[in-house]
Amino acid sequence: DAKTTQPNSMESNEEEPVHLPCNHSTISGTDYIHWYRQLPSQGPEYVIHGLTSNVNNRMASLAIAEDRKSSTLILHRATLRDAAVYYCILGISPNNAGNMLTFGGGTRLMVKP
Amino acid sequence: GAGVSQSPRYKVAKRGQDVALRCDPISGHVSLFWYQQALGQGPEFLTYFQNEAQLDKSGLPSDRFFAERPEGSVSTLKIQRTQQEDSAVYLCASSFDTGVTYYYEQYFGPGTRLTVT
């Protein structure tokens, strides 16, 4: 499976944008890029996913490099509730049923008031 | 609507005891996954069900771990003769993925924190 590399931790101020980077230089052509986050004492929750084009939803934006070797999760205005561990995950081939998620260490985001 | 629920939320077991952890997935979700999360690490895949069929159990760490989903809804993860290294949070996730369409989103329960003393 292709691997992802993320910084261990990042800090942000409340109300400011946050850019969370992820490197995935060995990504294959059919791998989707997924982001999940895990709030303290909770299970992970889906944030966003994409394949080639940039994506926006109500939670965040996903910017994908043209060569797909890296991506950035963008939180437009961080709130205290966004403090969590953010995981960048590559999806396996669409021909494979049982698409389990392969989590790495993630980035712990701390938000200062 | 109701999300994925897990019970118990916390379990303390003496070494050597058997434990059973329950997962109630979102109604209608075909796929069900179990993950194990050690302290300070990301979750690791244990096993996967599509309806009642266990299609992948490659992540189960030993034959002391057993999972079932007999009617294709509720699932139970059983650990026999628990060891201290089994202490972790056990997460259950479900999705509507049928194995045919690609896109899926996994919905996770809050987990069961198992402490083996």
Side-chain angles (χ1 to χ4, degrees):
Chain A
D1 289 340
K3 301 282 187 224
T4 62
T5 304
Q6 300 177 253
N8 288 337
S9 64
M10 291 184 65
E11 211 169 73
S12 170
N13 293 317
E14 199 177 10
E15 305 288 315
E16 290 185 357
V18 181
H19 290 230
L20 297 162
C22 181
N23 287 320
H24 29 78
S25 57
T26 60
I27 190 170
S28 75
T30 55
D31 278 338
Y32 279 68
I33 301 158
H34 303 261
W35 285 80
Y36 278 72
R37 73 178 185 181
Q38 188 170 22
L39 302 171
S41 300
Q42 295 188 26
E45 64 176 351
Y46 167 81
V47 177
I48 200 166
H49 79 285
L51 183 60
T52 55
S53 304
N54 294 344
V55 185
N56 299 298
N57 68 18
R58 64 174 179 80
M59 288 182 72
S61 295
L62 176 60
I64 301 173
E66 198 170 327
D67 63 5
R68 301 207 330 125
K69 293 184 185 301
S70 65
S71 60
T72 302
L73 179 71
I74 302 165
L75 306 179
H76 295 287
R77 290 181 65 203
T79 69
L80 296 178
R81 196 194 171 277
D82 292 322
V85 178
Y86 287 78
Y87 296 99
C88 170
I89 300 165
L90 301 185
I92 61 176
S93 164
N95 293 325
N96 217 339
N99 302 301
M100 81 272 202
L101 299 170
T102 302
F103 291 82
T107 296
R108 180 174 299 278
L109 175 66
M110 292 166 280
V111 180
K112 296 184 293 183
Chain B
V4 178
S5 61
Q6 294 186 245
S7 59
R9 289 294 314 277
Y10 303 91
K11 176 71 178 175
V12 178
K14 289 191 188 323
R15 194 174 60 174
Q17 281 185 333
D18 297 349
V19 298
L21 312 180
R22 177 186 168 107
C23 172
D24 283 81
I26 294 172
S27 177
H29 276 194
V30 169
S31 294
L32 186 145
F33 302 82
W34 283 97
Y35 294 85
Q36 179 190 58
Q37 186 171 26
L39 190 63
Q41 298 185 22
E44 291 192 357
F45 169 77
L46 292 177
T47 187
Y48 160 69
F49 290 86
Q50 187 176 95
N51 295 306
E52 69 279 2
Q54 189 175 19
L55 298 186
D56 187 346
K57 51 183 181 179
S58 62
L60 295 176
S62 78
D63 58 8
R64 296 185 296 104
F65 287 70
F66 172 76
E68 60 183 5
R69 193 186 185 198
E71 296 177 0
S73 55
V74 170
S75 177
T76 304
L77 176 68
K78 297 179 179 176
I79 309 173
Q80 297 177 323
R81 304 181 304 281
T82 52
Q83 305 293 316
Q84 283 192 314
E85 61 262 29
D86 300 335
S87 296
V89 174
Y90 291 86
L91 294 161
C92 174
S94 70
S95 80
F96 193 63
D97 173 28
T98 63
V100 175
T101 57
Y102 177 72
Y103 175 65
Y104 65 95
E105 172 185 340
Q106 290 190 21
Y107 295 83
F108 283 81
T112 294
R113 181 177 296 279
L114 173 65
T115 303
V116 182
T117 61

